[in-house]
Amino acid sequence: MIIGLVRDSFLRCFCQTCSVNSALPGRYHKKPLKKIQKKPKCKQPKKGRKYVATEIRCEEKSRGGMCYEVILAEPSADKPTPPATSSPRPKSMTAEEIEQKLLQAEERRKSMEASRLASVGERMTRLEEASRKREENTAAFIAATQAALEDKLDTTTNNREAYLNGLRAKLSDHLNNVDGVRKQLEAQTNDLRQTIEDKLRSAEENRTENLGKMLEKLKEHEDYAQKVRLGHEEAIRQLEERIQAKIAVATNKRESEILKKLETLREHSNKITEAQELINRRQEEAKQQRAQEVAAKEERIKKIQDEKEAKRQEMTKEITEKLELVQENKNKEEEEVKKKAMEKLQKLEIADRNRLELAEKARKALEEHDRRAEMVRANKERIMAAEKQDAASSG
């Protein structure tokens, strides 16, 4: 620390403004204040205008202030020539004067160093005094805090002992209350156990009676379910027979309808062939008659032949369309019969499935009832054994 202070004192600036601030450690050099040069707010006169000597003009620039401009004379272009100054002759210095000046400078430097060392010594004494005072203050603070802590510890120990004593008293009262409550609860539990045993005994008797009644009801239900099952099976069998008979009748009707439609188609085709033969015969007769006529009637014959050919094509087309319609109707009827048969079979399967589900539910109910009866029987035997053990132990 002392070395740093000495180094700062030797390296600082020698000007008057920096010497004060740089002497103290941790202080920065302050820059010297500069004078603010304000420009005049007055307006310069315009060129080309002539003013009267000793003319005074004023102009208000700020609130509560006035700016004056005094003109003594007109501006002149000729500047006055400065007088010729003679440069002083340099004085010649001797070696003794130079040596004397050097000695004076050395003395000044030594005095400055001595003054600087004296200021450093004063600063060091001040710092030592400050550190001593700080140590005294810290020692006093430590002693005060230690005394306060000891007092606080004493008070906390006293309070803790008082709190523990009070807590022990409360615990003893609480334990006494707990003993009284425990005895009261034991008496209540004994009374409650006696009432529960009485209720269990009466409930067991009622349970046995209810079980007998339920068993009788289950037997009656099983008989009724057996009768219903037999009735369902008989109804299903009769329904199957009726479905088979209807299917046979439908197949017979379909075959008879198909034969009738084929017969009608055959007769219609015979009529078509007869009409064709008649047409051909008439055509031959017409050809024989017209072969003897004039060539002028040949065009008329051709027209008639074209008309007849168109009619024949239309008739053949209508016949083919009718055959296709008959075939489509036959296919549709077959599909409807098959669909109805499948729906009836699905209904039969659903009825069988429902019947099986009902039988399974009845079987599960019987098993559940048997299981509950077995549990009741086991509980009853366990309770009887416990009562016997209690009676033996009390005897």
Side-chain angles (χ1 to χ4, degrees):
M1 185 175 178
I2 296 169
I3 294 167
L5 291 171
V6 173
R7 185 178 65 245
D8 294 336
S9 64
F10 277 106
L11 294 176
R12 69 176 181 176
C13 183
F14 290 101
C15 65
Q16 188 65 25
T17 57
C18 298
S19 62
V20 178
N21 295 323
S22 63
L24 297 175
R27 299 286 298 273
Y28 296 99
H29 297 287
K30 291 184 179 179
K31 295 182 179 179
L33 298 173
K34 293 182 180 180
K35 292 182 180 180
I36 299 170
Q37 295 179 358
K38 293 183 179 179
K39 293 182 180 180
K41 294 183 179 180
C42 60
K43 293 182 180 180
Q44 296 295 330
K46 294 181 180 179
K47 293 181 180 180
R49 291 180 65 182
K50 293 182 180 180
Y51 298 98
V52 182
T54 65
E55 182 183 359
I56 298 172
R57 291 184 294 108
C58 66
E59 184 178 0
E60 187 176 355
K61 285 292 183 178
S62 63
R63 186 177 295 177
M66 301 291 288
C67 178
Y68 293 94
E69 183 178 358
V70 180
I71 299 170
L72 298 174
E74 293 183 358
S76 60
D78 298 331
K79 294 181 179 180
T81 57
T85 58
S86 60
S87 61
R89 295 179 182 178
K91 295 179 180 180
S92 60
M93 296 177 68
T94 59
E96 293 177 357
E97 292 177 352
I98 292 167
E99 189 174 355
Q100 190 176 0
K101 286 185 177 182
L102 289 172
L103 291 171
Q104 290 175 359
E106 184 69 22
E107 287 176 359
R108 284 196 301 274
R109 186 177 65 77
K110 287 179 180 179
S111 65
M112 289 175 69
E113 288 179 358
S115 63
R116 195 177 293 115
L117 289 172
S119 63
V120 169
E122 290 177 359
R123 202 174 296 114
M124 291 299 295
T125 54
R126 288 176 185 175
L127 290 171
E128 288 175 357
E129 185 68 21
S131 63
R132 185 177 60 76
K133 287 181 180 180
R134 194 182 297 110
E135 288 176 356
E136 289 176 357
N137 291 327
T138 53
F141 177 72
I142 288 166
T145 51
Q146 189 172 4
L149 285 171
E150 287 176 355
D151 294 336
K152 193 173 182 180
L153 286 171
D154 293 335
T155 54
T156 51
T157 51
N158 294 326
N159 292 329
R160 184 171 175 275
E161 288 176 357
Y163 175 72
L164 289 172
N165 292 325
L167 190 63
R168 289 192 189 96
K170 288 180 181 179
L171 286 171
S172 62
D173 296 336
H174 181 68
L175 290 172
N176 294 325
N177 292 327
V178 167
D179 290 332
V181 171
R182 184 174 56 79
K183 291 176 181 178
Q184 188 177 359
L185 286 173
E186 285 178 355
Q188 290 178 0
T189 50
N190 291 324
D191 296 336
L192 186 63
R193 187 181 293 109
Q194 187 66 31
T195 55
I196 289 167
E197 287 176 355
D198 296 336
K199 286 181 180 179
L200 287 171
R201 193 176 298 106
S202 62
E204 186 65 27
E205 293 175 357
N206 294 327
R207 194 181 297 114
T208 52
E209 292 177 0
N210 291 326
L211 285 173
K213 292 178 181 178
M214 288 176 70
L215 288 171
E216 291 176 358
K217 287 181 181 179
L218 285 170
K219 287 178 181 179
E220 292 175 358
H221 180 71
E222 183 65 23
D223 297 334
Y224 179 72
Q226 187 68 25
K227 291 178 182 178
V228 171
R229 194 180 299 115
L230 294 172
H232 278 298
E233 289 176 356
E234 185 65 25
I236 289 163
R237 186 178 59 76
Q238 291 176 1
L239 183 63
E240 287 177 353
E241 290 176 356
R242 286 198 297 272
I243 288 166
Q244 293 294 331
K246 286 182 180 180
I247 289 168
V249 171
T251 52
N252 294 325
K253 284 183 179 180
R254 186 182 62 190
E255 289 176 357
S256 63
E257 290 290 331
I258 290 166
L259 291 173
K260 286 179 182 179
K261 288 178 180 179
L262 289 173
E263 187 67 27
T264 54
L265 287 171
R266 195 177 297 110
E267 290 176 356
H268 188 67
S269 62
N270 293 326
K271 288 179 181 180
I272 289 168
T273 52
E274 289 176 358
Q276 188 69 31
E277 289 175 357
L278 182 61
I279 289 165
N280 291 327
R281 189 166 55 251
R282 287 178 181 178
Q283 284 178 359
E284 288 176 358
E285 291 175 357
K287 283 179 182 180
Q288 289 175 5
Q289 289 176 2
R290 288 184 182 87
Q292 299 172 1
E293 292 179 357
V294 189
K297 294 182 180 180
E298 289 180 358
E299 187 174 359
R300 187 178 177 183
I301 292 166
K302 286 181 180 179
K303 288 180 180 180
I304 292 167
Q305 287 178 357
D306 292 335
E307 291 175 359
K308 288 180 179 180
E309 185 67 24
K311 286 180 181 181
R312 187 177 62 79
Q313 288 179 0
E314 288 177 359
M315 289 176 72
T316 53
K317 189 175 181 181
E318 288 177 357
I319 291 163
T320 53
E321 288 177 356
K322 287 179 180 179
L323 289 170
E324 289 177 356
L325 287 171
V326 169
Q327 188 67 27
E328 287 178 359
N329 292 325
K330 183 178 70 174
N331 294 328
K332 286 180 181 179
E333 288 176 357
E334 289 179 355
E335 288 178 357
E336 288 177 357
V337 171
K338 287 181 181 178
K339 192 182 287 185
K340 289 179 180 178
M342 291 297 291
E343 288 177 356
K344 289 179 180 178
L345 289 172
Q346 286 178 359
K347 288 179 180 179
L348 289 171
E349 289 177 357
I350 290 165
D352 292 334
R353 196 181 300 115
N354 292 328
R355 182 171 56 79
L356 292 172
E357 287 177 358
L358 289 170
E360 185 68 22
K361 285 180 181 179
R363 186 180 61 79
K364 286 182 179 179
L366 287 171
E367 289 178 356
E368 184 68 20
H369 184 266
D370 294 336
R371 186 178 64 79
R372 287 181 180 177
E374 187 67 27
M375 289 174 66
V376 168
R377 197 178 296 108
N379 290 328
K380 186 176 180 181
E381 290 177 357
R382 188 164 55 254
I383 290 166
M384 293 294 290
E387 288 177 354
K388 288 179 181 179
Q389 288 180 1
D390 292 336
S393 61
S394 62

